[in-house]
Amino acid sequence: MKVLGLLRHAKSDWGESDKRDFDRGLNRRGRKGAELIGAHIRDHGVKWDKLLASPAQRVKTTLEEADIGPEPEWEDSLYLASTETICDLIREQGGDADRLLLAGHNPGFGDMVFELVSPRNENALFDEAKVKFPTAAFAVFELDIDDWADLAPGCGKLVHFARPRDLDPELGPEHG
């Protein structure tokens, strides 16, 4: 069995209209969300062997605020990646890691929920994650594979899903 984690970047700063999408950082709420989800990830108990991350500024800042380790390996292909690209990257770069964490973007990360979880493995966590994979969301999948090269649709079960609003209601959508 392999364990895959997905961490979406925290809330970006749309007020930085003079910057390219790739260069946008986080707003105040995003920094707080990243810090909270980082503490949650550290407390969750999975020790990640490898971290692959999009080099976009909002992902870099999310990881700085979250402080989850290990040292990120920056992967250009993760920037706004499709599920196909994400799966290819996992197959090619997973290596001998048993627990692989990715940090990146939607819509690819949200779509990975549908890609990895077969109908027989749908559960209450899946029901939450399929509605929306919001900023700073963190998902953990147990994958019924022995090698990352064997990653295939429906090989996983969502075993953990957390959002900043689950940890602090002030970060929920109704609080803007």
Side-chain angles (χ1 to χ4, degrees):
M1 180 184 76
K2 297 284 187 184
V3 177
L4 175 67
L6 300 178
L7 172 63
R8 184 177 173 206
H9 67 79
K11 193 165 234 6
S12 60
D13 190 351
W14 286 95
E16 296 181 334
S17 60
D18 61 329
K19 294 190 176 180
R20 296 181 310 146
D21 177 73
F22 186 86
D23 297 324
R24 279 189 291 117
L26 302 181
N27 65 19
R28 181 189 56 75
R29 193 170 148 200
R31 288 180 181 276
K32 183 175 180 183
E35 187 178 312
L36 261 175
I37 207 71
H40 176 79
I41 292 169
R42 289 189 305 274
D43 292 344
H44 181 253
V46 175
K47 180 162 176 30
W48 300 102
D49 300 320
K50 188 173 190 176
L51 170 58
L52 302 175
S54 162
Q57 186 58 49
R58 58 191 177 274
V59 175
K60 288 181 175 181
T61 306
T62 296
L63 292 174
E64 289 167 10
E65 295 289 331
D67 189 28
I68 52 177
E71 196 64 34
E73 295 177 29
W74 305 111
E75 289 291 338
D76 291 340
S77 65
L78 271 176
Y79 177 63
L80 304 179
S82 67
T83 57
E84 182 179 348
T85 299
I86 295 166
C87 289
D88 286 346
L89 180 70
I90 292 168
R91 288 184 199 104
E92 295 165 10
Q93 299 293 325
D96 60 1
D98 288 322
R99 295 164 303 277
L100 177 64
L101 178 62
L102 274 62
H105 312 266
N106 266 358
F109 276 20
D111 291 345
M112 286 295 288
V113 173
F114 296 101
E115 181 75 13
L116 295 175
V117 179
S118 70
R120 75 180 191 297
N121 284 333
E122 290 179 11
N123 56 24
L125 294 173
F126 174 86
D127 292 343
E128 284 289 317
K130 75 177 183 181
V131 172
K132 187 174 183 186
F133 202 95
T135 51
F138 170 62
V140 179
F141 300 86
E142 289 180 351
L143 306 176
D144 190 18
I145 57 173
D146 294 321
D147 190 293
W148 293 110
D150 299 328
L151 184 73
C155 72
K157 180 177 182 180
L158 184 59
V159 297
H160 185 76
F161 183 65
R163 304 160 291 202
R165 71 176 180 210
D166 300 327
L167 309 172
D168 181 349
E170 292 280 319
L171 294 174
E174 61 277 0
H175 293 280

